[in-house]
Amino acid sequence: MASVPMESGLLIAGVLFALGLIGVLVRRNIIFILLSIEIMLNAAGLAFIVAGSRWGQADGQVMFIFILTMAAAEVSVGLALVLQLQHRFKTLDIDAASQMRG
Amino acid sequence: MLGLLWLIPVLPFAGFLVLALIGPRLSRTGVASIGVGSIALSTLVALLVSSSFIASPPAGHAYAQTLWTWLQVGGFTPGISLYLDGLALVMMLVVTFVSLLIHLYSTEFMRDDEGYSRFFAYMNLFVGSMLTLVLADNLLLLYLGWEGVGLCSYLLIGFWYTDPANGRAARKAFVVTRVGDTAMAVGLFLLFNHLGTLQIQDLMQRASQAWPVGSALAVAASALLLGGALGKSAQLPLHTWLPDAMAGPTPVSALIHAATMVTAGVYLIARTHELFALAPVVQSAVAVIGAATLLLAGCSALTQWDIKRVLAYSTISQIGYMFLALGVGAWSAAIFHLMTHAFFKALLFLGAGVVIQALHEEHNMFAMGGLRKQLPVTFWTFLIASASLAALPLVTAGFYSKDMILWEAWSSQAGSPWLWAAGMAGALLTSIYAFRVVFLTFYGPSKTQVRRKPGLRMQLPLVILAVLSVVGGFVELPSSLGDLPLFSDFLHTALPAAPSMRGGVSTEIVLQCSAAAVSLIGIYLAYLLCLRMPQYAESLLRTPWGTALHRFWFAGWGFDWLYDTFVVGPYVWFAHAAKDEVVDFIYGGIAGLTQRLNRLLSGTETGKVRWYATGIALGAVIIIAIAVIL
């Protein structure tokens, strides 16, 4: 099986991470922010997979399983936050929750 | 009997303690009986001790009593010990007796005052301190009494403390006398450092042995003590506090600022007269200061309209006479005048108090008048006191004491015709201003209604003091008039006689006659200017020179202005400038910088999550970049 070159895999991972980061910074809707965070997590997971396949090690895939688990946990907390935000501020705009300023 | 000496200062102190601790809970009668009773007992003991002292004089005409050692540091062991000799005895009797009369007067004078027990507590503390000063055996104990009377003076000038002006007057009195007291403290250090003791008799003996006449140390020590005396006795140039001290209740002015405390400087110089004899320069300075003060204060007294301020300037002037006497070595004459002055000046103040209260707190003499009929007892006693102050010849105590001073200013070795002439000019001024008060207050048309007549407790002291103002002089008759020097004979056990240099009995008679003439001329001038032809005084006042001089004298020769401009003003300015300390700039700067940084950083705390995320991302980029580059 022709292997994908590592550079291409890492490039995709980097692009995905950057897209996710831009999404986090630019979006104001908290659901889109959570989606962008998922993209960043998956970008990191992809980098692990690519690295694992490059050196023929299973550790990369193990790491990805961890990341999936953690992402599930993160989404449960994140959705709880979404509910709280909607409940308190009647909006999903993250900038509305800016009471804790100096 | 002499063993009871310690009771004399202790009784007023006990009265003070009782009044200070439980005074506010006592009834007015209770307060009065403790306040007056303690002084009365003290006076009684003083009389017993004096009679026993005079009847059977102890060895050396002095009696010392050591109660306990105050403190013991190295070779310095001042005792709480009392010393009674002729000088201390006279002072003690004057202080206790005049205090008793003024306390009695105050029970009625202050009857409606809220601070009744506070007043008597302070007054008792004052009498105790004054007796400590008078009876002290060493200069340190004397200094304790000295500061004690200063404190009481401060407390009583500011007695009606709700008026800020009274507080200012009290502060002024305290600070100005402090200038002199500091000099005196330095003088005590100097004396102890060089002579190793502060016990007065030892000190005088050692000084006479160790220091030749005119030596620099003797001059320095006596000049420093003189500084203390000038401050306390309100002499030039530290006299500015006394006229303002009239802000206190009138009995206080009578007791502290006329009869007793202000004469403490005279007592100090008489007490340490051996030291002053070693420094002829300082002694002649005392005479010159006395002469200058009596003239300056006499001129100022002529121009005042406030009856109490006239009396205050008159007090300064009369103490000037005492200083003149001390300066020419006429120790007994100074103490004699101190005694007669205590009687007639206390009487003048008490009389003024009656008038002021009768006219409902009216101090302006020009608003008074015609009180002769309405307050007869006050009028007659005030008249006697004024005659005594003006040295009306033959019948008043003031004549004999002032005549003795003038005679010795002429005849003594240190005296000179110039000093005598100053004294004569002062005598003329004295009789003019003394009778100006009488004529303005008691004669002429009635201008204000009398609202309150004095009762027995206010009139009895007036009558007793009036009797003393007359008969007080007969204890000392000059050689030309009966030659009965009882008083100076008695004092010569403690104070040496002034060596007479020029003039005999015939000169003395001539001088006495001229002094008598001057006194009568002064009274006649006052009569002319105040009653007969007031329009002449008015026109004199309206000339440009008259106006300028009046204003200048009224302001006390501009001393207050001088001190305010050159001492108080710069000091206040400096204090204001130094309020923000230079050292504080460093610490204040650190605090300010921290606060500014804090504000800067807390500005980044926007509460916006996306900004935080941006910050984290940027930080991560920077750290990774650093890690990659390095």
Side-chain angles (χ1 to χ4, degrees), chain A residues 25-27 95 97-98 101-102, chain B residues 602 605-607 610 612-614:
Chain A
L25 298 185
V26 174
R27 286 287 183 172
D95 286 354
S98 64
R101 58 176 163 262
Chain B
S602 70
E605 191 90 341
T606 54
R610 297 185 304 136
Y612 299 162
T614 315

Side-chain angles (χ1 to χ4, degrees), chain B residues 159-411:
Chain B
F159 183 75
W160 290 313
Y161 55 86
T162 44
D163 184 357
N166 295 349
R168 237 188 333 271
R171 220 162 39 233
K172 182 174 176 187
F174 197 71
V175 172
V176 173
T177 48
R178 196 64 46 245
V179 175
D181 292 356
T182 310
M184 180 174 164
V186 176
L188 297 194
F189 297 150
L190 184 86
L191 283 172
F192 180 73
N193 201 19
H194 286 275
L195 299 174
T197 180
L198 283 181
Q199 210 274 328
I200 296 170
Q201 307 308 316
D202 284 354
L203 195 68
M204 294 303 125
Q205 208 174 4
R206 290 190 204 179
S208 318
Q209 285 164 1
W211 292 338
V213 172
S215 76
L217 277 173
V219 170
S222 50
L224 287 165
L225 290 189
L226 172 63
L230 292 182
K232 200 55 112 195
S233 290
Q235 296 295 292
L236 223 60
L238 297 176
H239 64 287
T240 55
W241 64 272
L242 191 60
D244 289 338
M246 295 301 121
T250 309
V252 172
S253 308
L255 178 60
I256 301 186
H257 305 117
T260 53
M261 186 192 84
V262 285
T263 55
V266 178
Y267 175 73
L268 175 73
I269 295 180
R271 184 89 276 181
T272 56
H273 62 90
E274 284 102 329
L275 194 63
F276 281 84
L278 293 178
V281 189
V282 180
Q283 216 193 332
S284 40
V286 173
V288 172
I289 288 172
T293 309
L294 75 89
L295 286 176
L296 260 60
C299 292
S300 287
L302 276 180
T303 56
Q304 305 297 319
W305 50 261
D306 182 335
I307 185 167
K308 282 183 77 182
R309 280 180 88 89
V310 177
L311 297 179
Y313 276 112
S314 154
T315 304
I316 298 176
S317 173
Q318 296 306 306
I319 298 171
Y321 273 105
M322 297 173 210
F323 269 66
L324 174 63
L326 294 170
V328 297
W331 315 108
S332 306
I335 300 300
F336 186 37
H337 195 56
L338 190 161
M339 182 180 84
T340 57
H341 173 253
F343 296 147
F344 65 70
K345 190 53 68 64
L347 174 52
L348 283 171
F349 268 112
L350 297 185
V354 171
V355 170
I356 289 169
Q357 220 169 44
L359 301 182
H360 202 75
E361 298 304 312
E362 178 62 70
H363 282 241
N364 188 350
M365 289 190 297
F366 292 100
M368 301 171 182
L371 294 174
R372 186 166 38 132
K373 297 272 165 52
Q374 287 157 301
L375 300 168
V377 176
T378 315
F379 164 64
W380 283 108
T381 51
F382 200 91
L383 185 70
I384 290 169
S386 297
S388 202
L389 172 62
L392 194 73
L394 300 180
V395 292
T396 60
F399 170 71
Y400 293 102
S401 60
K402 200 174 281 181
D403 176 63
M404 192 171 166
I405 290 177
L406 288 173
W407 166 240
E408 302 220 24
W410 171 280
S411 70

